[in-house]
Amino acid sequence: MLVHQQDSFSQRRQAESHVIGNRGTVVEAAAFNVEEDVNRLRGAMKGAGTDEAVVIEVLARRTIAQRQRIKEAYKLTVGKDLAGDLQGELTGNTEKVVLGLLMIAPKYDAYELRTAIKGSGTEEAALIDILASRTNAEIRAITEVYMKEHGTSLEDDIEADTSGMFKRVLVSLLTAGRDESNTVNETQAVQDAKDIYEAGEACWGTDEVKFLTVLCVRNRNHLLRVFEEYQKISGRDIEDSIKREMSGSLEDVFLAIVKCLRNKPAFFAERLYKSMKGLGTTDSILIRIMVARAEIDMLDIKTEFSKAYGKTLHSFINGDSSGDYRKILLELCGE
């Protein structure tokens, strides 16, 4: 009976059994055996203490789709929730990574946004990292999951928790209305560059709405052309102008948008570097990026990291974390 039930949900899952990106360090486990994985996880949690090494080995080496099948089979055979059981067994940052790995991508993003908004003080970094880097389809999926999970709209929660122009940029990104075509309108590109220049460097004060209109609406190819044109008109790189004209969270979100449009893996490499360099580690950022990008573009993030900082991401994580937390992060990082 068990085999039959597992077969039926295997068939139901067929449509979901693909990896979510093709530049990840986490790839489908070839000889994937759900029943065996469930038994190993059960064994790891039996008796006093937990065998974290087994938990890490099983979950960090499976794709999100494979982990969903493990969760279903666990509930079917044990009658309990895998995330709930692991939560009772693990602690600290290791627990945060493992629980993140068990969620599908939009659910994890929605969870991170909710945590950022509902904690004491808003973690603007989470709002910026997620909303500035996700595609329209990803943002739509996040807002749907958020409503389903929390019974409130993400837009309403963000509006209640942020203010001013920063709030307006986030709300604009949440509409998931960016043009995603590849068309470059030369005349419009020149006009956009002029508009941004005249709204910032060329005048006293800054008209941030002009920046929003161009940076949150136009497609990537068009904006790369706008940035070239802007350099010609102003003699500065757009990023330098944003730094000169803005401050705080507004500066951070506009810079993140520009950096993600230019080179998303390089943006994440920089975020990882800044989360670890100097005294202390910003674990929330480190965990969020390692979990969210492991299956999408971690290979490219690692390349960009080495290129920019002359050291491997692996060596940075190795020197900056310890114990099981280090082990699971290094699994997600790959050699």
Side-chain angles (χ1 to χ4, degrees), residues 190-201:
V190 173
Q191 190 57 51
D192 284 344
K194 273 189 189 145
D195 285 349
I196 293 180
Y197 178 61
E198 282 161 14
E201 293 282 0

Side-chain angles (χ1 to χ4, degrees), residues 31 39 47 101 121 125-126 142 158 165 181 186 196 198 208 219 243 246 251 261 269 286-287 291 300 330:
N39 288 334
L101 292 176
I142 293 164
I158 282 177
M165 190 52 66
S181 73
E186 277 299 327
I196 293 180
E198 282 161 14
E208 290 115 345
N219 73 60
K243 286 175 194 165
M246 326 240 175
E251 176 190 338
L261 288 162
L286 177 56
I287 292 168
V291 170
D300 300 323
L330 290 178

Side-chain angles (χ1 to χ4, degrees), residues 71-83:
K71 274 167 66 178
E72 281 203 14
Y74 189 90
K75 191 169 270 186
L76 183 68
T77 54
V78 183
K80 287 170 84 182
D81 180 59
L82 177 58

